[in-house]
């Protein structure tokens, strides 16, 4: 399927669809929260690398000509006062004229680069994600914990994984932590906060990257009056090639 | 001199002072223009790579503990309705409680990386800068042309210069143009809009990087009611090492 076909036809998680094209996290907030959100992203570029910001009320993005952010993700989450209130397949009835949408880089983008370098992270359908004990740098009214994604990497490939992803700062960049999960306050790797449990093999090392689910944890912690996000794993598929986010 | 000594003692241009420490462009705008400025930077990351944004009214930055942005640059420019009205050595009398200060990456930071790689750009005391015919992507009320800095590079070193700077996206990254100045609408290399004329030698190739003076051109084009910037060449010297902005 092409990215445009995924946007109009997909109904489930987007992992593996339109391979080679960048997928993005969505978070749309009311205009009077947009500065805090953009500043939060600037201060926390590893979990919140901004790929595009829309004009207020517009569902259009430079990342995909003709796409409509209200309808072109397979599933959304609607948040009121920091609480999840709905998970619709179409956000149009919830959209507001003052919403500003942020499209945030996703670690799916670096997985093809890892594979090209001979690193095949082992995980189930959806990568495991954990809320850590590290606080992001706050911005205005927004604050919250860093969320990370985990990939189990064979020990002799860890250096390569670090080097390859360091060259993709727009999609989370280098890992934030390698090894002991306790260093991030994660008690039990087998109980991720989002996604599927890890599927490592003996000799694998846990490698943690900052995760684009962080803004959703920030919503829960900071409780803005209203927001719309993608549902976990149900990303916005752009027309931009993964390679565009890879430095030479 | 240490960075702190430069901040308190320097009275002229900062090129070559506190070598190895990152210098930054300053642009401070009223709070109700801060979102447009931050969005403009997000949409134009090559000319406007944001290193830090202060809280409204605060002269403090995480880039240098204890520094005061109102006094610690050698010279400032004060802008009213897009026109330059003053060039004081102390911005305290002009500072306002609603000002938000943006510290923007500067190409000085990649010059040491270029030298480490054996590339010694030839230019006078101040690098030549040109207003181009390329418009930046607008954001809200802010719009204006891309400004570039020029370095004359020996032909056999151009590839190295591109590769080295591509790894420093927080300080303008790879060149925006190599070769014919006409491709950027520059009629006469010997008449830069800012800085000193180029000092190339036969066989050198003109290489153009996006420049942190772009926000000043944007002020002139967009005319916000008030702003304070650094005076050209009179940068804010941070406590952060140049190497911190270099990807591995």
């Amino acid at each position: 399927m092409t990215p445009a076909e995924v946007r109009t036809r997909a109904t489930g998680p987007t992992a593996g669809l339109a391979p080679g094209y960048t997928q993005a996290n969505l978070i749309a907030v009311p205009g009077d929260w947009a500065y805090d959100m953009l500043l939060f992203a600037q201060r926390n570029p590893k979990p919140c690398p901004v790929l595009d910001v829309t004009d207020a009320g517009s569902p259009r993005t430079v990342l995909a000509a003709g796409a409509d952010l209200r309808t072109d993700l397979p599933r959304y989450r609607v948040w009121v006062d920091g609480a999840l209130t709905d998970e619709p397949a179409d956000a149009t009835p919830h959209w507001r004229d003052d919403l500003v949408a942020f499209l945030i880089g996703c670690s799916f983008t670096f997985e093809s680069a890892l594979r090209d370098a001979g690193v095949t992270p082992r995980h189930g359908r959806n990568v495991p994600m954990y809320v850590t004990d590290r606080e992001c740098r706050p911005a205005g009214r927004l604050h919250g914990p860093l969320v990370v994604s985990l990939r189990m990497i064979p020990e002799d490939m860890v250096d390569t994984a670090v080097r390859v992803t360091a060259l993709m700062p727009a999609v989370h960049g280098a890992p934030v932590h390698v090894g002991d999960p306790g260093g991030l306050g994660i008690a039990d790797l087998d109980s991720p906060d989002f996604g599927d449990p890890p599927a490592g093999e003996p000799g694998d090392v846990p490698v943690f990257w900052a995760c684009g689910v962080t803004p959703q944890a920030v919503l829960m912690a900071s409780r803005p009056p209203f927001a719309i996000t993608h549902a976990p794993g149900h990303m916005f598929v752009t027309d931009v090639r993964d390679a565009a986010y890879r430095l030479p």
Side-chain angles (χ1 to χ4, degrees), chain A:
Chain A
M1 283 202 284
T2 66
E5 286 167 347
V6 175
R7 290 195 294 268
T8 52
R9 295 187 203 165
T11 57
T14 51
L17 302 182
Y21 288 93
T22 286
Q23 303 196 12
N25 301 279
L26 169 73
I27 176 165
V29 296
D32 61 343
W33 285 74
Y35 180 69
D36 286 0
M37 189 65 231
L38 188 53
L39 186 61
F40 187 89
Q42 192 280 325
R43 289 180 174 176
N44 298 281
K46 291 198 96 164
C48 304
V50 177
L51 304 185
D52 193 33
V53 182
T54 64
D55 290 319
S58 169
R60 309 292 170 194
T61 168
V62 294
L63 302 178
D68 187 325
L69 292 172
R70 299 169 297 190
T71 57
D72 288 2
L73 284 75
R75 194 157 294 279
Y76 297 83
R77 285 185 156 184
V78 178
W79 305 79
V80 176
D81 296 329
L84 178 62
T85 60
D86 200 3
E87 281 210 338
D90 180 351
T92 308
H94 300 278
W95 207 264
R96 297 171 16 171
D97 282 348
D98 67 336
L99 284 189
V100 175
F102 294 78
L103 293 161
I104 307 268
C106 166
S107 60
F108 291 173
T109 303
F110 66 60
E111 295 214 334
S112 57
L114 286 177
R115 274 190 297 273
D116 289 351
V119 184
T120 307
R122 290 188 266 266
H123 55 73
R125 169 123 197 191
N126 215 334
V127 68
M129 293 163 270
Y130 307 86
V131 178
T132 72
D133 64 358
R134 288 196 198 172
E135 281 293 305
C136 293
R137 189 177 160 204
R141 296 157 289 181
L142 293 178
H143 58 91
L146 172 69
V147 179
V148 294
S149 63
L150 164 67
R151 287 162 186 80
M152 300 299 293
I153 309 273
E155 190 170 6
D156 62 351
M157 298 303 283
V158 170
D159 284 357
T160 302
V162 172
R163 187 168 39 78
V164 166
T165 55
L167 294 180
M168 304 186 76
V171 286
H172 304 307
V176 292
H177 187 70
V178 174
D180 177 26
L184 293 170
I186 299 168
D188 180 9
L189 280 190
D190 289 326
S191 304
D193 295 292
F194 313 94
D196 299 321
E201 292 180 16
D204 284 359
V205 175
V207 181
F208 300 92
W209 278 267
C211 177
V213 169
T214 300
Q216 297 199 25
V218 167
L219 289 183
M220 288 186 262
S222 312
R223 303 176 179 276
F226 186 74
I228 295 175
T229 69
H230 68 288
H234 297 65
M235 319 301 287
F236 178 65
V237 180
T238 76
D239 288 344
V240 182
R241 290 267 181 192
D242 290 343
Y245 295 112
R246 204 165 165 176
L247 294 175

